């Protein structure tokens, strides 16, 4: 489900879980384990990407339907832990967004320090269009990435391409599919050249206010968020979205 490879001082963590790398408890657990592994190594920076032509389609909605409230009780804390771990990661993180990064996939990308979107790729926080609420961690990560465009990104649920994504803060650069990984490695190498201790401290200082707001929502998921994810209305909306994605089968 995840692979780690080295390119000099840079570790590349690649999601590889089905066709769309949907986020479930197992994938999130492996992602967290790989992040720990890279931090313990002598790597100076991290590139986060995915196999194939999709970065991540977000939370596995079919598993949410199948597992119900019991599944959400386990999955939501893991999802939030992954968001926060990436957002507070002490090494430089470059997201090489190799295809659609939707909902939770968008949040994972935005948790990094730099985002490079492949030409023709789409990225956006589409949670509200599916009828599911944001945990505070996701909103704070989007606020960090998008600044005064956050409300637009959150409330419209729009999927942005190329220059539009750069304009709202969801991406820093656009690259061709052929150049994406090389450019991400180059950018990660540039960040890795900064004195590690100074980089780690500056990143922690810059993100401290957002992390403090996230921590104020911990250690449990906001009860209102949890209740809304499990509500009959949200379940019906998720089921409609799953049926739409599967062609009504």
């Amino acid at each position: 489900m995840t692979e780690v490879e080295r390119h000099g001082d840079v570790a590349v963590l690649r999601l590889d879980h089905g066709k769309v790398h949907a986020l479930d408890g197992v994938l999130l657990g492996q992602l967290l384990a790989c992040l720990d592994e890279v931090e313990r190594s002598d790597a100076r920076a991290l590139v986060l990407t995915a196999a194939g032509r999709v970065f991540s389609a977000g939370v596995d909605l079919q598993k949410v339907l199948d597992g119900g409230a019991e599944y959400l009780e386990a999955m939501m804390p893991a999802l939030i832990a992954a968001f926060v771990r990436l957002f507070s990661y002490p090494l430089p993180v470059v997201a090489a967004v190799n295809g659609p990064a939707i909902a939770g996939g968008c949040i994972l990308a935005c948790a990094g320090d730099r985002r490079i979107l492949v030409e023709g790729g789409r990225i956006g926080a589409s949670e509200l269009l599916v009828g599911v609420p944001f945990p505070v961690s996701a909103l704070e990560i989007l606020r960090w990435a998008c600044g005064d465009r956050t409300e637009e990104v959150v409330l419209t649920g729009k999927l942005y391409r190329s220059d539009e994504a750069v304009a709202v803060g969801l991406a820093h650069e656009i690259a061709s599919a052929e150049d994406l990984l090389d450019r991400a490695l180059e950018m990660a190498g540039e960040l890795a050249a900064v004195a590690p201790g100074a980089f780690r401290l500056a990143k922690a200082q810059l993100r401290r206010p957002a992390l403090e707001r996230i921590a104020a929502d911990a250690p449990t998921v906001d009860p209102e968020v949890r209740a809304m994810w499990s509500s009959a209305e949200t379940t019906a909306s998720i089921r409609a979205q799953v049926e739409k994605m599967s062609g009504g089968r």
Side-chain angles (χ1 to χ4, degrees), residues 220-238:
T220 59
V221 182
D222 185 319
E224 188 174 3
V225 172
R226 185 170 59 243
M228 193 171 294
W229 267 89
S230 302
S231 71
E233 181 181 2
T234 300
T235 299
S237 181
I238 291 173

Side-chain angles (χ1 to χ4, degrees), residues 23-75:
L23 304 176
D24 59 19
V26 177
L27 177 58
L28 292 166
Q30 289 199 8
L31 172 60
L32 288 166
C34 285
L35 291 173
D36 290 345
E37 175 190 332
V38 172
E39 186 179 358
R40 289 193 299 266
S41 75
D42 61 353
R44 296 280 298 270
L46 174 71
V47 169
L48 177 65
T49 191
R53 298 183 179 181
V54 176
F55 182 77
S56 174
V59 170
D60 190 326
L61 297 177
Q62 185 62 60
K63 288 191 176 179
V64 172
L65 288 179
D66 293 343
E70 184 176 351
Y71 175 78
L72 285 170
E73 285 292 327
M75 189 277 294

